[in-house]
Amino acid sequence: MVILTIIATKGGAGKTSVVANSAAVLADMGFRVLCIDTDVQPSLSKYYPLHYRAPNGIVELLLGNNTEQAITSTISNTVYPNLDIILSNNIVDDVKTNVQNRPDRAFLLRTKLTHPCITDNYDIVLIDTQGSVGVIQDAAAFAATRLLSPIMPETLSAREFIAGTQSALERLQHGKIMGLPVPPLSALIYARDRSKDARMISDQIREYFNSSLDGQKQLLQTEVPSAKAYKEAATLRIPVHCHETTHPGKAEPAKQVMLNLLSNAIKFTPE
């Protein structure tokens, strides 16, 4: 089972859109997908309509017992087949404090996601995180088999990735003493427009990765463009690959972009 955690230390980087649309493509391909919303601003939780709303959510998953009954009580079903979600529900300061005070805080998500009720029922888990450093983001990162970080090709986002995300990765290195290696990281240029500035910053991002190859970081070849289809799909609460299957111009349609992204980032193909 693949566990992909989307991280960034800056809000508005496109994490939720990447999670929601990647999950929908994978579900449409026949994979059993579970999304987890760990953000205090529950955008992912509101992205798709629900068929069934579970009585519990991420708070109970983090702080509850490691039993099948407790874990399954947090899983809601979207209206799309094969696509389930654990909703973000009232992550207040007291919850963060309770997580911080747990000696097993780094393992809180990892232990739940390795339970047979998850591993036997899902092929991939995608975790959306808050755009800031914290104990819940750390738990989501330590639970992952892979990390994905979107970077918008504008100056502040690029600087934040290099400074903030790199600092977060360095901090996670402390997990090695607990047997928690830092998963490999893939970066994704997200919402690139056709401006000269975006092209220049994208080139600088590529240069950064080319000059710092260490086997743990890679920049995906696929880039997600700044296109109205993604905003329209979010407004309509439908997957972007269903909203734009063809493109009237020369650009690749959103469906092909998402398939390329998953082929690069997760290496999943239809069965």
Side-chain angles (χ1 to χ4, degrees), residues 92-154:
V92 295
D93 288 341
D94 286 349
V95 170
K96 295 178 184 179
T97 300
N98 287 336
V99 172
Q100 178 67 53
N101 291 338
R102 291 278 296 257
D104 61 343
R105 58 185 177 272
F107 296 87
L108 286 180
L109 273 181
R110 187 183 180 96
T111 54
K112 307 298 178 17
L113 297 183
T114 55
H115 192 283
C117 70
I118 299 295
T119 59
D120 292 349
N121 290 291
Y122 296 100
D123 301 304
I124 182 165
V125 178
L126 295 101
I127 307 176
D128 193 13
T129 61
Q130 184 178 3
S132 62
V133 173
V135 290
I136 296 178
Q137 187 190 73
D138 287 353
F142 283 130
T145 57
R146 304 178 189 179
L147 302 174
L148 178 63
S149 183
I151 314 171
M152 298 183 73
E154 50 93 9

Side-chain angles (χ1 to χ4, degrees), residues 227-239:
K228 64 178 182 178
Y230 298 89
K231 294 180 180 179
E232 290 173 349
T235 299
L236 295 169
R237 303 183 76 188
I238 62 174

Side-chain angles (χ1 to χ4, degrees), residues 143-219:
T145 57
R146 304 178 189 179
L147 302 174
L148 178 63
S149 183
I151 314 171
M152 298 183 73
E154 50 93 9
T155 301
L156 292 179
S157 291
R159 287 176 180 171
E160 178 57 33
F161 172 82
I162 294 172
T165 305
Q166 291 299 100
S167 295
L169 290 175
E170 291 172 5
R171 191 183 68 258
L172 292 174
Q173 294 291 341
H174 296 296
K176 289 182 178 180
I177 63 175
M178 299 179 287
L180 293 171
V182 179
L185 172 88
S186 296
L188 166 70
I189 294 177
Y190 181 84
R192 175 180 167 173
D193 59 34
R194 297 182 180 180
S195 68
K196 181 179 179 180
D197 186 61
R199 183 168 60 252
M200 181 176 62
I201 295 173
S202 295
D203 289 342
Q204 291 173 355
I205 293 170
R206 291 191 195 93
E207 288 178 10
Y208 166 76
F209 276 90
N210 289 336
S211 64
S212 61
L213 294 176
D214 59 5
Q216 284 295 101
K217 299 189 295 294
Q218 66 164 330
L219 179 65

Side-chain angles (χ1 to χ4, degrees), residues 37-40 58-59 88-93 95-96 136:
D37 191 354
T38 68
D39 198 341
V40 294
I58 185 60
V59 172
S88 174
N89 60 331
N90 198 29
I91 305 177
V92 295
D93 288 341
V95 170
K96 295 178 184 179
I136 296 178

